[in-house]
């Protein structure tokens, strides 16, 4: 059963996170299917499966989904990378594509988000690309004295030069373009959230979340990249910079390192 306050959110590294490194033929096939007929699944503690792992994991996924839906005849398709990888692509896919479940069951499973059985744990998603709230994680902090880290990050987004980039982008945002640019930019800046995590070595890092100032995925990625190159100053810490985004090996979320994953600490977690 889900915790009282729901399962933790799994944050994708970017809008194409679920289909990253999948063969484009698989992606094209998934998007040619009728809307609501494809379920994306990632498996806890499993990345790209070795050949000998594929059939057993597909069977376990099938058994778990059959157990909660009662449906049969659907097919889990193991992650398939490009046969010849394009230059610069070194990653491996982690997403199973489930075809053949009914639309109502897919909607229910995507709403549940997490299915944890004795034999396997699944993270489930609808076939859609969503701009995430997670931006990046800042590293190099030694103290959060007087809430220094949180306040300094929020201040950075509410002032130049970041505020200027937000102001430019909101003017073409479908939901914000009819608001005065300064008002729309202030709404985005106010949406910034900062979560402080203390690492095993005592150092601190800050995961930064923010509503997107743009509705365009490519523009968002360019904006995020520009922010990750910026220094972040605070009163009681050295200059902080964004660390390279790496996914949790347990839940595949981008917002925390593996040993800080919240899922294994849930009561009854398998």
């Amino acid at each position: 059963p889900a915790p009282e306050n729901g399962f933790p959110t799994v944050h994708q590294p970017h809008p194409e996170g679920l289909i990253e490194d999948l063969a484009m033929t698989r992606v094209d096939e998934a998007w040619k299917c009728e809307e609501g007929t494809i379920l994306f699944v990632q498996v806890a503690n499993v990345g790209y499966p070795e050949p000998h792992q594929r059939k057993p994991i597909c069977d376990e996924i099938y058994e778990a989904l059959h157990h909660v839906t009662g449906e049969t005849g659907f097919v889990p398709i193991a992650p398939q990378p490009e046969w010849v990888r394009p230059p610069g692509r070194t990653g491996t896919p982690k997403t199973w594509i489930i075809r053949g479940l009914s639309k109502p069951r897919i909607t229910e499973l995507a709403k549940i988000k997490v299915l944890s059985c004795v034999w396997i744990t699944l993270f489930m998603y609808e076939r859609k690309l969503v701009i995430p709230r997670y931006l990046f994680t800042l590293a190099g902090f030694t103290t959060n004295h007087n809430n220094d880290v949180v306040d300094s990050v929020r201040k950075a987004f509410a002032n130049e030069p970041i505020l200027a980039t937000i102001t430019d982008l909101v003017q073409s945002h479908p939901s914000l373009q009819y608001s005065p640019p300064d008002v729309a930019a202030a709404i985005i800046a106010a949406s910034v959230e900062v979560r402080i995590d203390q690492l095993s070595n005592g150092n601190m890092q800050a995961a930064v979340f923010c509503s997107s100032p743009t509705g365009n995925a490519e523009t968002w990625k360019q904006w995020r990249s520009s922010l990750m190159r910026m220094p972040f100053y605070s009163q009681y810490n050295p200059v902080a910079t964004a660390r390279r985004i790496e996914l949790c090996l347990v839940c595949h979320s981008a917002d925390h390192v593996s040993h800080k994953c919240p899922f294994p600490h849930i009561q009854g977690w398998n």
Side-chain angles (χ1 to χ4, degrees), residues 125-147:
Y125 308 90
E126 291 180 294
R127 185 207 63 186
K128 61 174 62 174
L129 303 184
V130 179
I131 296 177
R133 274 186 51 79
Y134 172 74
L135 284 175
F136 48 75
T137 297
L138 297 171
F141 299 109
T142 59
T143 179
N144 191 33
H145 180 69
N146 287 343
N147 213 35

Side-chain angles (χ1 to χ4, degrees), residues 235-256:
Q235 185 173 1
Y236 298 108
N237 287 279
V239 174
T241 54
R243 66 172 178 81
R244 187 167 70 92
I245 295 175
E246 297 180 350
L247 302 186
C248 171
L249 297 176
V250 179
C251 69
H252 314 296
S253 184
D255 72 313
H256 58 263

Side-chain angles (χ1 to χ4, degrees), residues 9-20 31 35 40 110 113 124-135 173 210-221 224 254:
T9 299
V10 175
H11 296 274
Q12 297 300 321
H14 51 77
E16 296 88 9
L18 288 172
I19 59 174
E20 187 173 29
W31 255 264
E35 185 175 357
F40 287 153
K113 297 181 181 178
M124 304 171 294
Y125 308 90
E126 291 180 294
R127 185 207 63 186
K128 61 174 62 174
L129 303 184
V130 179
I131 296 177
R133 274 186 51 79
Y134 172 74
L135 284 175
H173 192 296
C210 180
S211 299
S212 176
T214 175
N216 182 280
E218 287 301 319
T219 302
W220 178 87
K221 287 191 287 186
R224 195 261 297 269

Side-chain angles (χ1 to χ4, degrees), residues 124-247:
M124 304 171 294
Y125 308 90
E126 291 180 294
R127 185 207 63 186
K128 61 174 62 174
L129 303 184
V130 179
I131 296 177
R133 274 186 51 79
Y134 172 74
L135 284 175
F136 48 75
T137 297
L138 297 171
F141 299 109
T142 59
T143 179
N144 191 33
H145 180 69
N146 287 343
N147 213 35
D148 179 48
V149 174
V150 176
D151 290 346
S152 63
V153 173
R154 290 182 61 87
K155 183 179 179 180
F157 276 78
N159 290 277
E160 307 302 340
I162 296 179
L163 186 63
T165 67
I166 295 174
T167 303
D168 287 342
L169 293 175
V170 294
Q171 296 179 59
S172 58
H173 192 296
S175 301
L176 298 170
Q177 60 183 335
Y178 299 111
S179 299
D182 58 331
V183 174
I187 292 172
I188 297 299
S191 75
V192 171
E193 296 179 32
V194 183
R195 189 193 69 229
I196 305 298
D197 292 328
Q198 186 162 17
L199 304 180
S200 55
N201 61 6
N203 288 337
M204 295 179 178
Q205 60 182 24
V208 181
F209 307 83
C210 180
S211 299
S212 176
T214 175
N216 182 280
E218 287 301 319
T219 302
W220 178 87
K221 287 191 287 186
Q222 294 170 11
W223 178 64
R224 195 261 297 269
S225 293
S226 71
L227 298 183
M228 292 182 70
R229 293 190 295 268
M230 291 184 179
F232 283 77
Y233 299 93
S234 62
Q235 185 173 1
Y236 298 108
N237 287 279
V239 174
T241 54
R243 66 172 178 81
R244 187 167 70 92
I245 295 175
E246 297 180 350
L247 302 186

